[in-house]
Amino acid sequence: MSKVISISLSPNTQKDDVSLALKLIFTTKKDGVRKLERLFRNYFGFRNAFAFNSGRSSLIAILKAMKIGAGDEVIMQAFTCNAAVNPIKYVGATPIFADINDDLNISVEDVEKKITSKTRAIMIQHTFGSPAEIDRIKDICLKRGVYLIEDCAHCLGAMYKGEFCGSFGDASFFSFGRDKVISSVYGGMVTVNNESLIDGVSNFQKEIKVPGVFWTIQQLLHPILFNKIILPPYNMKIGRGLLAIFLNLNILSKAVTKKEGSGILPEYFPKKMPSSLAYLAINQLKKLEEYNNHRREIAQYYNHLFLKGDIDENNIYLKYPLLVDNPAKVINKLKKHNIYINDGWSGSPVVPASTELDKVCYAIGSCPKAEEISKKIILLPTHINISKEDAKRVFDCLEDIRQNK
Ligand SMILES: Cc1ncc(COP(=O)(O)O)c(C=O)c1O
């Protein structure tokens, strides 16, 4: 049987991550968070770094430090995840959606149309590792006296005009979620450039609690169970059945819960980063350059196969986007070849597609381009466990589907 190719089944996990996770279940090491923050600061040359248990908690910390709340508006792009929207709702503010460009990033022109006297911040996303038009958005922020937030959940290591993404916002946040650039299953980081916000983020980090021990063990089990138990038999029904059982029994966590589709965050946000997950993140951060070089290499190879030009070296290609006529059909057909590319980023301007748009303040028709693209997009894997042969297999299957073979 052919190898399972997947985009989101613990994509960054390697042997050393599995043995580390096993060790961390049985040991208590308390100093992980400070070590991770120090490594992160030094790696990127950021002045400060504050770890949290997710991008969601990180964004809440930023919004609280900015004193954004009821009556305030935050402009963000459509074609986003409800995980990026709900923290804004959590603090009582209203998310206002701006449309996107072909590069899947926020449209400056639409931001200009949607800005009002209630706008307190503009959040840019750098979708799938591709830097947004930071300078133009920053100009608007400076002119209008509103904050710039960089959502760097997809773009750890991506560059804009010679500097790392995350260097430009008043505050920026990153995610170490299970299918992000590096992964500690759950985890996030804030860096603050606007000095007036540093104490706010730091105090918020001190105030909140560490998640419970059970929650932390649940995350440590993720790389172990995926690598050792779920993935090996995934192309037989048994692997998929085991995954469903582990999720149902709460032995494994979900990346985004069902309730979040109705605009409600679970009680484990906002929380501190547990020390053991910080150790997982440290192990992964040391591999960041290798991971991103590999992603660029695979993206360049896809470009070659699809007869496109050279890749953008500033982009880290977390995933490789492609527009097709009927994504649901393509995703289903690929499954028959043991290729699993459904990561939820399709079918709605706020993903996953099960999200109730009214509950996340999205008005249908307000961002036509994002709606159109979300009906056509599929994403191809570029992560460290994907070889060029795998990429070629994905391409060949897509060609067969296109020619209706
Ligand atoms: C664009 C974007 N922003 C923010 C987040 C939130 O990050 P996290 O899953 O670490 O809470 C996610 C991921 O879910 C995301 O895709």
Side-chain angles (χ1 to χ4, degrees):
M1 225 181 246
S2 52
K3 173 187 162 185
V4 170
I5 295 178
S6 80
I7 197 162
S8 66
L9 300 167
S10 210
N12 298 328
T13 301
Q14 295 177 289
K15 276 188 190 149
D16 56 323
D17 304 300
V18 176
S19 44
L20 176 61
L22 256 173
K23 231 187 270 166
L24 289 166
I25 289 185
F26 298 104
T27 45
T28 327
K29 281 171 117 188
K30 292 218 161 102
D31 51 355
V33 173
R34 296 298 154 227
K35 279 188 177 162
L36 172 63
E37 289 175 342
R38 196 181 323 123
L39 182 66
F40 198 88
R41 269 195 321 265
N42 293 341
Y43 192 106
F44 295 104
F46 293 148
R47 270 179 294 170
N48 50 60
F50 302 93
F52 294 89
N53 77 334
S54 57
R56 280 159 272 195
S57 298
S58 304
L59 177 53
I60 292 171
I62 291 174
L63 295 166
K64 290 275 189 192
M66 291 174 172
K67 299 193 167 59
I68 289 178
D72 296 331
E73 293 178 352
V74 176
I75 297 183
M76 65 186 301
Q77 73 164 74
F79 195 58
T80 189
C81 176
N82 68 38
V85 188
N86 286 333
I88 297 169
K89 289 195 64 195
Y90 178 90
V91 299
T94 307
I96 303 291
F97 292 92
D99 211 345
I100 54 173
N101 302 314
D102 286 332
D103 68 354
L104 311 177
N105 286 328
I106 201 160
S107 148
V108 178
E109 287 69 30
D110 209 37
V111 168
E112 272 165 345
K113 281 185 206 150
K114 298 212 166 134
I115 202 161
T116 72
S117 58
K118 291 183 185 165
T119 307
R120 293 282 318 283
I122 299 172
M123 182 159 85
I124 50 176
Q125 185 174 275
H126 311 308
T127 310
F128 306 138
S130 156
E133 289 182 89
I134 301 176
D135 277 355
R136 290 180 69 202
I137 297 283
K138 203 167 172 165
D139 274 354
I140 298 177
C141 290
L142 289 173
K143 261 189 223 136
R144 301 292 295 244
V146 304
Y147 289 119
L148 175 66
I149 302 172
E150 280 185 79
D151 175 347
C152 299
H154 295 180
C155 72
L156 191 67
M159 308 288 284
Y160 181 80
K161 298 195 174 168
E163 284 186 69
F164 284 111
C165 288
S167 311
F168 304 91
D170 289 284
S172 309
F173 72 96
F174 300 81
S175 165
F176 312 139
R178 62 201 65 198
D179 55 1
K180 297 299 191 303
V181 186
I182 62 166
S183 172
S184 51
V185 189
Y186 268 111
M189 190 71 81
V190 172
T191 186
V192 183
N193 296 310
N194 180 331
E195 290 209 353
S196 69
L197 301 171
I198 294 177
D199 284 350
V201 172
S202 168
N203 291 338
F204 186 76
Q205 189 198 40
K206 284 182 198 128
E207 272 164 32
I208 57 177
K209 295 198 169 106
V210 188
V213 177
F214 173 76
W215 185 87
T216 305
I217 290 178
Q218 201 187 24
Q219 312 324 320
L220 290 171
L221 283 173
H222 181 100
I224 303 168
L225 293 180
F226 265 93
N227 197 272
K228 296 281 174 215
I229 301 196
I230 296 167
L231 274 174
Y234 200 78
N235 47 12
M236 293 170 276
K237 270 195 185 140
I238 178 166
R240 299 194 293 277
L242 281 169
L243 175 56
I245 291 169
F246 289 138
L247 287 171
N248 277 335
L249 294 178
N250 242 354
I251 293 169
L252 287 178
S253 64
K254 293 198 169 113
V256 177
T257 59
K258 201 166 167 230
K259 269 193 178 170
E260 291 175 83
S262 315
I264 300 158
L265 281 178
E267 88 300 333
Y268 43 82
F269 304 125
K271 290 278 190 289
K272 284 187 166 75
M273 177 82 158
S275 176
S276 51
L277 296 192
Y279 274 102
L280 279 189
I282 289 170
N283 197 45
Q284 287 259 308
L285 187 52
K286 290 178 180 162
K287 301 190 275 188
L288 177 67
E289 214 173 311
E290 179 198 349
Y291 281 12
N292 282 345
N293 284 340
H294 179 85
R295 289 184 175 106
R296 287 191 192 102
E297 202 179 318
I298 298 290
Q300 179 68 58
Y301 188 55
Y302 283 130
N303 261 13
H304 162 75
L305 294 170
F306 289 111
L307 305 177
K308 296 181 180 177
D310 279 340
I311 57 159
D312 169 7
E313 289 290 335
N314 291 314
N315 186 340
I316 55 101
Y317 295 91
L318 175 63
K319 298 167 187 190
Y320 185 92
L322 199 69
L323 300 184
V324 297
D325 281 339
N326 188 341
K329 192 172 129 201
V330 173
I331 287 169
N332 267 331
K333 287 206 165 176
L334 285 177
K335 273 190 202 162
K336 297 195 178 100
H337 301 271
N338 289 325
I339 299 171
Y340 299 87
I341 59 156
N342 185 8
D343 65 347
W345 273 85
S346 197
S348 172
V350 182
V351 300
S354 54
T355 302
E356 295 171 66
L357 292 179
D358 56 328
K359 299 272 173 61
V360 291
C361 310
Y362 183 87
I364 293 172
S366 62
C367 300
K369 180 113 191 167
E371 291 178 25
E372 184 197 322
I373 286 183
S374 68
K375 284 187 199 125
K376 291 196 171 158
I377 197 159
I378 59 168
L379 295 162
L380 307 185
T382 57
H383 56 77
I384 195 72
N385 289 305
I386 292 291
S387 65
K388 275 193 179 167
E389 294 77 67
D390 298 334
K392 178 76 167 63
R393 220 178 94 205
V394 175
F395 171 80
D396 288 342
C397 288
L398 285 170
E399 276 301 286
D400 284 353
I401 293 169
R402 198 172 59 82
Q403 291 167 21
N404 242 333
K405 277 194 194 160

